Amino acid sequence: MRFFSRCYTYLQERRGWLVLLLLVLLLVSFWNLTRVDIEDNISSMLPDGDSRVARDFQLLQQAPFARKVVIHLRADNEEQAVLLNSATEELHERLPEPWFVNPISGPSRVNPQRLMSDLLEVLPLLFDAGDLEQLERRLDDEGISAALAENLSELLQPQGLFVKERISRDPLSLYLVALDKLQHLNPLPDVRIEGDHFSSSDGLSRLILADTPVAITDAAGAEQLLAAFEQARRVLPPDISAALISGHAYTLANADVIKTDMQVLLLVSGGGLLLLFVLMIGRLRAVPVLLLPFFSMITALLVVSLFADQVSGITIGFGAVVLGITIDFALHVYFALARRSLDRSEMLRLVARPVLFGGLTTLAAFSVLALSDLPGQRQLGLFAGAGIVAAVLLALLVLPHFIPRAAAVPGARLNGKRALMVRFPRLRYVVILLWIVLCGTSLVYLPQLSLSGELRQLGYLPDQLQQAEAELGRVWGDVRGRAMIFIGDNDMDRLLRQNEQVWQALGDRHLQEEAVSLAPLLMSERTSRERIARWQEFWQHHQPPTTERLRDIGAGYGFSARAFTPFADGLDRIPPPIDLRMLNEWGMGGLVDTLFQEHEDGYRMITLLPDRPEEITWLLQDGVLPEEATLVSQSLFADQLAQEIAADFYRFMGLAGVVVVVLLGVLFRRVTDVLLALLPALTGLLVLLGGMALLGLELNLFNLIASLLIIGLGVDYGIFMVCHGHSKEDLSSVRAVLVSGLSTLIGFGALTLAQHPALFSIGLTLLLGISAAMPTAILVIPALRRQLS
Amino acid sequence: MTGFTGIKRIFLFLLAGLFLAATPLAADDSELDIILAQLKAAAAQVQTLQSSFVQEKNLEMFDHRLISTGAMIYAEPDQLRWELLSPVASGFALRGEQGVRWSAVSGQVQRFSIGSDPLMGVVAQQLLAWARVDLEWLEQGYGMEVIDNEPIVLRLTPLDTAEAELVNYIQVTFAPLQGHVSDVLVMEQSGDSTRLRFEDVRINDRVAAGAFVPPEY
């Protein structure tokens, strides 16, 4: 550590160079700020790479409606419902480009007679073995008589003019089976059509779906999108409401609440920190201490921008918070040097050791973030690492030259390591007992701690938006929360076979009724051949008696002998294949597009199904789904992410722990000292985890990062207090730890006032952890140390 | 235009004819414009309208003529009941945009709305639209000519090609003395035809309570 004291001596007469260095750093940083591209969205905090979570997250983005803007119109009552269609049309007309692209409020227009004619043509393909079994039971005298009576009734009604052809071609109403298959394309479970518009089953709601070029994570774009919607919404009558449901609304709400939070937090924490410094330091000459985190941060930003094309706004924001702790290094140097009677270079030599190792351990704790699956966390690791290195160097090489000598450090009585424990010998027993009780209580609650991978819980969820989404689900069924099975292949027929296997698996679990799939309509060549052969075989047996019954029983209703000749003639006709073109002609293009995607590598098909844990668990068993299928569900994803968080937590803690222990071993070379130095960090973590369990909170991604802060700060406190115990000189470590701990508590504790869950979560984590780590460092280490010695 | 709009126009004209019955026609009122003007004037005076009818269908699918009987009731502004009573009881009733239909064969009563049912809804909605006398719309859909003056017979020919593929013409005959519609004939291109003979037409009589309530099965 003599290096730093020599540097101090060397630079003592060359302060001008240091000022120049700082100015250059400042200028370069400002220049850098003008060119750095700051990413104003949260995508960097979502997983990338090849992990399952990353892959599933990408696939979740392909879900129908995931990228759509959904507008839900609702009438207050049935009287107002008559205005819904016209209101929907007016709003549809007024949704402006470029914010809203291709808005649709109903299905494509279809020629019903053309559709019916085509469906009758392809009946042999649409009837599976089960359908034929059911049909067989309707081919007796009773079944045919009932069908013909219904036909007669229809023909006598005003609409009879238009159903004549269908009845002559299909007297047994086989078309109903075809319509049932078409239903499997419908992703809106409870939809009806009212005047060409999507209508809810209670008739009080309409739906408009639109694309938008605005990325869901783009807060500025989201603001403009929502402003455009607000403007368009003014056209609606007073009793008809319209809510826009999409990720954009959440993005904007989060951005707004973070802005508000920041204003409050800056006021509270800034005021609190100022008060603390006035009370505990009370000198203007301490201003350089306050500037150190600022210089650390601009250096960190400079380093990160050298390695990344884009710097995440979250990295900068959270990184700034992380680098706030670098003030601790400055405080230790300040308190050690700001004394009149001591040799400064010697004091710097003494304090350099704990500051350097404190910096190294904090650096180690944050460097593990480089292993994260989240690009934002990796960038944060780099940002924090660069900032910490800069802070340590600035604290030991630059800061000492800007700390004037003081007459005396105010409040020197707080340097009470020797005095307090000597003056009150029994205090150590009280301290140790309280510490044991605190750790014991935390240990009791620790097993109850659970992990949350629910990404939505990390964001701010305004009540109004949650209610709007809940209302959407209540009225239209679970539109946005379904599980999905993806299959992909570059060969269309192979893809269709896999899709059929998926459909079969769903059938085995009786899930077909609730599923949305192309499988009932689009089939492989093999299945087409099988169905045609089965149909022909069926009618070879049943056509003669059925034709005879239709003739005989039909005569009783007045039907002529030739009435159903078109039906009999069509039974052995080879149907045309059902393909995407045909589905488009039937007006199903929009629905098909949600379930079938063509891309560079081939094709992809999606099956939607209810996201129920028991069904998902069953489908995930080996052999249930084809190997090529990928099942993705929101609930499963949350579980996987929770597992990833847990794995990351253990991995990060383990790695950080090993590196920190090694560094402490190098520093102290005594097991007891290493253990004592670790005590604040371990106690802080234990109380953090136990406290969260006690408060019924779940561990999330942000707690994980905050836990690293606890390790970094806690080990720093431990190092300083253990070094303090070894030193013959008074390094004012108790005071420095107390001020730094209190500043951390004020700075981060203020985060508990935040409305945003992530900020609140970080604040609470640190409040719990530091509240335990700081007293452990100041009181428990001296108490135990004396006990051990 | 789809085939569905064809039937709605047929019924519009049918109902228009019935409204016309409210105002007896003069013997020399043969000019189309005068007749249409009278239709509008007559409709303005109608609050309720009730009638029974006999329907005769000559369809290729059947060996003999299908004869059925029924009744219709209209009450302003937007209520309608159209029902067959024999040989198969079936029909629909409409209140505003919401309706219900029934069939004794299936034993089912189903709710529908004019927006959700591609056929029933549109037919019923347009029937009611006619009750508000939208002659401009009717004239846009059909070419009209006076076939005879004694009794007055009008022939309507669909202008829409899709409808014209199904319907050849519609012929409406007015009773010579009473001045109301007595007969409507719908001739299809296939040769099939439907004739409706209206009897016991009552204008502005009190409509029974529950007239627009469906039967229970």
Side-chain angles (χ1 to χ4, degrees):
Chain A
M1 299 302 139
R2 293 191 186 281
F3 169 76
F4 294 105
S5 60
R6 284 175 186 160
C7 281
Y8 177 76
T9 309
Y10 177 77
L11 291 170
Q12 214 166 8
E13 303 303 322
R14 295 170 180 83
R15 284 191 193 178
W17 288 104
L18 291 176
V19 174
L20 188 64
L21 174 75
L22 292 177
L23 281 175
V24 169
L25 180 62
L26 212 56
L27 285 172
V28 172
S29 295
F30 280 127
W31 167 77
N32 182 52
L33 269 179
T34 60
R35 56 168 281 278
V36 72
D37 187 7
I38 297 175
E39 201 179 4
D40 185 21
N41 64 46
I42 60 161
S43 58
S44 63
M45 294 308 278
L46 302 172
D48 63 358
D50 298 326
S51 68
R52 171 158 190 170
V53 172
R55 186 201 61 192
D56 284 4
F57 181 76
Q58 296 301 323
L59 288 174
L60 274 173
Q61 305 309 300
Q62 306 300 321
F65 302 110
R67 290 174 181 273
K68 294 268 185 195
V69 172
V70 179
I71 297 171
H72 181 197
L73 293 100
R74 183 92 181 150
D76 287 350
N77 51 54
E78 286 190 9
E79 286 178 13
Q80 299 301 324
V82 295
L83 301 172
L84 264 173
N85 282 349
S86 59
T88 305
E89 284 154 18
E90 286 208 52
L91 182 59
H92 180 282
E93 284 298 314
R94 285 173 186 260
L95 292 173
E97 287 187 344
W99 312 112
F100 297 90
V101 182
N102 301 325
I104 57 164
S105 61
S108 310
R109 286 188 177 273
V110 185
N111 180 338
Q113 287 170 310
R114 164 78 195 277
L115 173 62
M116 182 59 71
S117 178
D118 281 359
L119 288 179
L120 295 180
E121 285 286 321
V122 297
L123 281 177
L125 293 172
L126 297 178
F127 267 70
D128 59 27
D131 297 324
L132 288 174
E133 271 180 37
Q134 288 189 4
L135 173 61
E136 191 171 24
R137 288 195 285 273
R138 289 167 44 207
L139 293 181
D140 58 8
D141 287 354
E142 191 182 348
I144 286 180
S145 178
L148 291 176
E150 190 60 43
N151 290 338
L152 176 62
S153 174
E154 277 195 85
L155 286 166
L156 292 174
Q157 281 290 320
Q159 69 269 32
L161 177 64
F162 305 101
V163 298
K164 271 192 318 183
E165 185 190 346
R166 192 259 297 163
I167 288 174
S168 68
R169 290 179 65 186
D170 180 22
L172 302 173
S173 298
L174 305 183
Y175 76 99
L176 293 174
V177 171
L179 292 183
D180 186 50
K181 307 287 180 186
L182 285 180
Q183 276 296 320
H184 287 295
L185 287 183
N186 178 15
L188 295 166
D190 300 321
V191 74
R192 288 170 16 194
I193 305 301
E194 289 276 359
D196 294 335
H197 300 295
F198 297 125
S199 168
S200 58
S201 55
D202 63 5
L204 298 178
S205 287
R206 300 290 183 274
L207 212 56
I208 299 177
L209 306 172
D211 296 312
T212 178
V214 180
I216 285 176
T217 49
D218 176 4
E223 185 171 14
Q224 290 171 308
L225 174 78
L226 291 173
F229 172 68
E230 284 301 324
Q231 181 70 26
R233 187 163 66 169
R234 290 182 191 163
V235 74
L236 295 176
D239 294 320
I240 293 180
S241 61
L244 184 146
I245 296 126
S246 79
H248 303 90
Y250 288 101
T251 300
L252 185 60
N254 274 269
D256 284 346
V257 82
I258 285 175
K259 275 183 199 163
T260 312
D261 280 348
M262 282 303 167
Q263 288 168 359
V264 174
L265 296 178
L266 283 174
L267 198 68
V268 173
S269 65
L273 288 171
L274 198 64
L275 189 65
L276 178 73
F277 274 84
V278 168
L279 290 176
M280 302 296 284
I281 301 176
R283 278 166 169 63
L284 272 177
R285 60 188 185 171
V287 167
V289 172
L290 300 174
L291 289 177
L292 186 130
F294 169 73
F295 277 98
S296 307
M297 198 176 78
I298 58 174
T299 310
L301 185 57
L302 194 61
V303 172
V304 169
S305 61
L306 291 176
F307 289 93
D309 296 333
Q310 282 192 319
V311 181
S312 162
I314 292 175
T315 300
I316 295 174
F318 199 15
V321 172
V322 169
L323 292 186
I325 67 169
T326 57
I327 200 168
D328 293 4
F329 307 137
L331 281 171
H332 284 285
V333 173
Y334 174 81
F335 281 116
L337 298 191
R339 304 174 71 85
R340 173 185 285 176
S341 58
L342 299 172
D343 175 11
R344 278 201 154 194
S345 61
E346 177 59 14
M347 287 304 287
L348 187 62
R349 186 185 67 79
L350 292 173
V351 82
R353 192 177 172 84
V355 167
L356 184 64
F357 276 85
L360 284 174
T361 51
T362 309
L363 181 66
F366 279 97
S367 63
V368 296
L369 286 178
L371 305 173
S372 171
D373 278 333
L374 309 185
Q377 277 194 352
R378 293 197 297 271
Q379 203 173 67
L380 179 61
L382 179 63
F383 189 93
I388 289 164
V389 170
V392 169
L393 294 177
L394 286 169
L396 294 175
L397 295 174
V398 180
L399 182 65
H401 300 282
F402 296 92
I403 303 174
R405 287 179 188 277
V409 176
R413 67 185 180 280
L414 281 169
N415 182 20
K417 178 213 98 174
R418 296 178 183 93
L420 197 63
M421 292 298 168
V422 171
R423 204 182 309 161
F424 306 105
R426 296 193 177 186
L427 181 62
R428 80 174 62 90
Y429 300 111
V430 177
V431 166
I432 293 170
L433 181 67
L434 286 174
W435 177 73
I436 290 172
V437 169
L438 182 68
C439 291
T441 308
S442 299
L443 271 175
V444 168
Y445 282 98
L446 187 60
Q448 295 174 22
L449 182 66
S450 57
L451 296 159
S452 170
E454 186 59 65
L455 281 176
R456 288 166 62 93
Q457 287 176 7
L458 301 181
Y460 174 60
L461 302 174
D463 288 345
Q464 196 182 353
L465 287 180
Q466 288 194 76
Q467 284 167 9
E469 187 141 4
E471 179 80 350
L472 183 77
R474 188 185 65 75
V475 173
W476 298 95
D478 191 6
V479 177
R480 291 158 64 90
R482 295 199 194 174
M484 292 174 289
I485 299 172
F486 288 85
I487 49 166
D489 207 301
N490 55 14
D491 181 88
M492 187 66 177
D493 195 58
R494 206 159 47 219
L495 183 79
L496 291 169
R497 283 203 298 274
Q498 291 162 11
N499 203 34
E500 287 163 4
Q501 289 174 38
V502 170
W503 187 245
Q504 183 59 46
L506 296 181
D508 294 343
R509 189 73 175 177
H510 307 294
L511 284 172
Q512 287 179 350
E513 282 301 312
E514 298 174 87
V516 179
S517 170
L518 280 166
L521 293 164
L522 282 184
M523 57 207 73
S524 64
E525 287 177 18
R526 186 179 63 192
T527 302
S528 298
R529 284 196 302 272
E530 284 172 4
R531 289 196 176 179
I532 292 169
R534 196 183 296 125
W535 172 273
Q536 289 179 334
E537 187 186 347
F538 179 90
W539 286 111
Q540 270 180 3
H541 290 96
H542 292 92
Q543 182 175 356
T546 302
T547 309
E548 194 174 324
R549 285 193 180 100
L550 282 171
R551 189 185 62 231
D552 295 347
I553 299 171
Y557 288 101
F559 286 101
S560 71
R562 300 178 312 281
F564 305 117
T565 304
F567 167 69
D569 290 347
L571 288 176
D572 56 358
R573 197 171 294 146
I574 300 295
I578 304 173
D579 53 20
L580 293 168
R581 182 192 53 79
M582 186 178 278
L583 293 180
N584 278 321
E585 287 174 359
W586 294 352
M588 307 291 161
L591 298 173
V592 170
D593 287 345
T594 63
L595 302 175
F596 177 81
Q597 295 160 359
E598 193 169 355
H599 50 88
E600 288 176 0
D601 302 328
Y603 312 100
R604 179 188 288 153
M605 275 190 179
I606 306 172
T607 299
L608 306 178
L609 63 151
D611 194 352
R612 292 193 291 267
E614 65 272 20
E615 313 296 2
I616 301 303
T617 307
W618 185 82
L619 286 165
L620 282 175
Q621 293 177 104
D622 284 344
V624 174
L625 290 174
E627 283 182 10
E628 298 81 1
T630 305
L631 175 61
V632 182
S633 87
Q634 306 261 13
S635 60
L636 183 70
F637 180 75
D639 287 345
Q640 287 169 348
L641 196 57
Q643 287 171 18
E644 290 265 333
I645 291 171
D648 273 0
F649 184 79
Y650 296 130
R651 192 164 48 130
F652 290 175
M653 293 298 134
L655 271 171
V658 167
V659 177
V660 165
V661 168
V662 169
L663 284 170
L664 290 177
V666 172
L667 176 66
F668 294 120
R669 296 173 191 173
R670 279 179 59 184
V671 175
T672 50
D673 284 348
V674 170
L675 290 175
L676 282 174
L678 284 171
L679 213 55
L682 293 175
T683 308
L685 277 180
L686 187 61
V687 172
L688 155 67
L689 300 176
M692 286 188 69
L694 179 65
L695 295 171
L697 300 172
E698 293 179 312
L699 193 70
N700 62 38
L701 277 170
F702 290 104
N703 301 136
L704 179 61
I705 301 171
S707 301
L708 295 173
L709 268 173
I710 303 284
I711 292 184
L713 284 168
V715 172
D716 285 356
Y717 298 160
I719 289 172
F720 281 111
M721 289 308 296
V722 172
C723 286
H724 175 66
H726 287 309
S727 175
K728 291 175 184 171
E729 301 294 339
D730 181 3
L731 298 175
S732 297
S733 297
V734 173
R735 184 171 176 74
V737 168
L738 184 65
V739 174
S740 90
L742 286 176
S743 67
T744 306
L745 283 179
I746 291 170
F748 289 106
L751 290 177
T752 55
L753 299 174
Q755 289 183 66
H756 195 279
L759 296 177
F760 173 81
S761 180
I762 294 164
L764 189 70
T765 310
L766 286 157
L767 196 65
L768 286 168
I770 300 297
S771 296
M774 183 183 66
T776 302
I778 294 174
L779 298 172
V780 179
I781 288 179
L784 282 175
R785 186 176 184 80
R786 192 163 181 81
Q787 193 73 7
L788 290 169
S789 63
Chain B
M1 181 187 290
T2 68
F4 296 135
T5 50
I7 195 167
K8 77 191 171 195
R9 289 209 169 96
I10 294 166
F11 273 79
L12 297 184
F13 198 81
L14 165 66
L15 202 59
L18 288 169
F19 288 143
L20 189 60
T23 308
L25 293 169
D28 57 352
D29 284 346
S30 56
E31 290 297 327
L32 183 61
D33 290 344
I34 297 172
I35 292 172
L36 296 180
Q38 282 183 314
L39 275 174
K40 193 161 188 172
Q45 298 170 21
V46 174
Q47 284 88 48
T48 69
L49 188 149
Q50 299 172 76
S51 169
S52 56
F53 62 82
V54 175
Q55 176 180 263
E56 295 176 13
K57 277 184 175 281
N58 289 295
L59 304 180
E60 191 188 359
M61 290 179 76
F62 290 85
D63 284 331
H64 54 81
R65 182 184 301 166
L66 289 172
I67 298 176
S68 48
T69 60
M72 68 162 292
I73 306 171
Y74 164 76
E76 72 165 2
D78 56 8
Q79 296 188 80
L80 180 73
R81 179 183 181 117
W82 177 274
E83 142 175 74
L84 286 177
L85 299 169
S86 71
V88 180
S90 60
F92 67 89
L94 189 76
R95 289 183 183 209
E97 297 213 345
Q98 302 300 314
V100 60
R101 62 179 171 185
W102 59 89
S103 166
V105 174
S106 63
Q108 288 183 339
V109 177
Q110 293 175 316
R111 296 179 70 85
F112 69 94
S113 70
I114 60 172
S116 65
D117 190 299
L119 180 57
M120 297 298 298
V122 173
V123 168
Q125 181 194 32
Q126 298 304 321
L127 275 169
L128 285 169
W130 179 257
R132 296 166 189 120
V133 189
D134 190 356
L135 285 174
E136 291 78 11
W137 182 85
L138 189 65
E139 285 178 307
Q140 281 174 8
Y142 293 94
M144 295 186 192
E145 61 177 315
V146 179
I147 301 296
D148 204 344
N149 285 328
E150 196 63 40
I152 294 173
V153 179
L154 294 181
R155 178 173 288 187
L156 284 75
T157 312
L159 299 177
D160 179 75
T161 48
E163 187 182 349
E165 284 177 10
L166 283 173
V167 177
N168 188 355
Y169 62 85
I170 303 162
Q171 195 160 292
V172 184
T173 305
F174 297 90
L177 296 177
Q178 294 88 345
H180 62 75
V181 166
S182 62
D183 188 289
V184 175
L185 173 66
V186 180
M187 260 331 270
E188 298 174 36
Q189 296 289 7
S190 64
D192 289 351
S193 65
T194 300
R195 181 183 292 279
L196 283 158
R197 281 187 285 110
F198 291 91
E199 300 167 346
D200 189 24
V201 177
R202 289 163 287 143
I203 309 293
N204 293 340
D205 273 11
R206 183 176 166 277
V207 173
F212 301 101
V213 176
E216 291 183 6
Y217 293 106

